[in-house]
Amino acid sequence: MRKAIGIDRKRKPDRILHVLQQIDADVVALQEADKRFGTRASAVPHELIDGHGLYKPVEFGVSHSRLAHAFPFGERIESRLGLATRNLGWHGNALLVKRDVEVLDVEALHLPTLEPRGAVMAELDIRGAEIRIIGMHLDLSGLWRRRQVKSIVDHLTKRHRPMPTVLMGDTNEWRAAGGCLSEFGDGYRVAPTGPSFHSRRPVAALDRIIVDQRLRIDAAGVHASPEARKASDHLPVWARVALGG
């Protein structure tokens, strides 16, 4: 969502929410959801999300305080100075869920990289069905992308019980097959969403939704409404999935 700055160079967080309302997904993964500098506050204010009424942010209990790095009690100092802000996610990755979705567990994942990168995980109960969601924004370097995917898959295998899993986000992978996508192995499939970048003239399927074999992909695509084409340089991709291979 490029920190809510559209291709018209205007920061319109309400436009992001309008596009999400058009799609009406149960679960949303966002990238570049937090501002890059200062306290890295959410580019879409929590009050705006709350007032919109459709979604609630998944809270990961992490922060990017600009003073915490310099002082042991930086966050406390920042609060006293009136500078405290709430992040929406972790290294710009965020998850939104509809208000009737129950959040069972969360985790912020550190990824191997030369620059700050991460992924976020949430285990959810959606109307009686348990599902694990990973939101991610992979590196520009092909070598580091492969390492990051391997890290995520290994982490899920070693640390978490089996559960239907969806991974989604900006993979920065231009190839339709191979590259970092090969690190998912035979246990995962890429939803056929289509090209999402650049929003003016989509030619690359950088944004992907990847599901494990416990899930069936019933439909997938790119949301290309006039408002979505202005809201970011990437178009949103979507998939409708169901339990059962």
Side-chain angles (χ1 to χ4, degrees), residues 85-202:
T85 55
R86 293 174 65 191
N87 310 111
L88 190 59
W90 168 241
H91 289 302
N93 294 285
L95 297 177
L96 303 179
V97 298
K98 284 193 173 175
R99 293 186 174 273
D100 63 341
V101 173
E102 181 182 358
V103 180
L104 305 175
D105 194 16
V106 300
E107 186 175 5
L109 308 179
H110 295 268
L111 298 183
T113 185
L114 293 176
E115 58 177 322
R117 291 277 178 175
V120 290
M121 184 214 74
E123 293 178 350
L124 309 172
D125 184 319
I126 304 177
R127 295 180 289 278
E130 291 188 358
I131 189 169
R132 178 182 295 119
I133 304 293
I134 301 288
M136 59 190 182
H137 190 175
L138 302 183
D139 208 285
L140 293 173
S141 161
L143 173 63
W144 286 104
R145 284 198 299 271
R146 295 184 73 116
R147 291 175 178 175
Q148 289 165 354
V149 172
K150 187 176 186 303
S151 174
I152 292 171
V153 173
D154 288 348
H155 181 83
L156 293 177
T157 301
K158 295 175 182 177
R159 297 286 301 275
H160 297 277
R161 64 185 174 93
M163 182 182 293
T165 300
V166 177
L167 303 97
M168 48 186 171
D170 182 357
T171 65
N172 271 314
E173 181 61 69
W174 285 72
R175 287 173 285 186
C180 70
L181 300 178
S182 63
E183 296 296 333
F184 287 104
D186 296 333
Y188 294 86
R189 291 170 294 156
V190 179
T193 54
S196 59
F197 179 83
H198 187 280
S199 59
R200 282 197 182 100
R201 187 178 180 183

Side-chain angles (χ1 to χ4, degrees), residues 30-113:
L30 300 173
Q31 295 83 54
E32 298 185 5
D34 292 334
K35 297 175 183 176
R36 186 170 183 180
F37 301 106
T39 54
R40 299 187 183 179
S42 170
V44 180
H46 285 263
E47 295 77 12
L48 191 59
I49 297 173
D50 294 341
H52 196 260
L54 186 61
Y55 291 106
K56 60 183 179 182
V58 176
E59 302 285 353
F60 295 97
V62 294
S63 65
H64 299 279
S65 170
R66 61 178 168 177
L67 295 180
H69 297 294
F71 302 102
F73 304 103
E75 292 184 9
R76 188 180 305 171
I77 294 171
E78 192 170 51
S79 179
R80 289 177 179 174
L81 291 175
L83 301 173
T85 55
R86 293 174 65 191
N87 310 111
L88 190 59
W90 168 241
H91 289 302
N93 294 285
L95 297 177
L96 303 179
V97 298
K98 284 193 173 175
R99 293 186 174 273
D100 63 341
V101 173
E102 181 182 358
V103 180
L104 305 175
D105 194 16
V106 300
E107 186 175 5
L109 308 179
H110 295 268
L111 298 183
T113 185

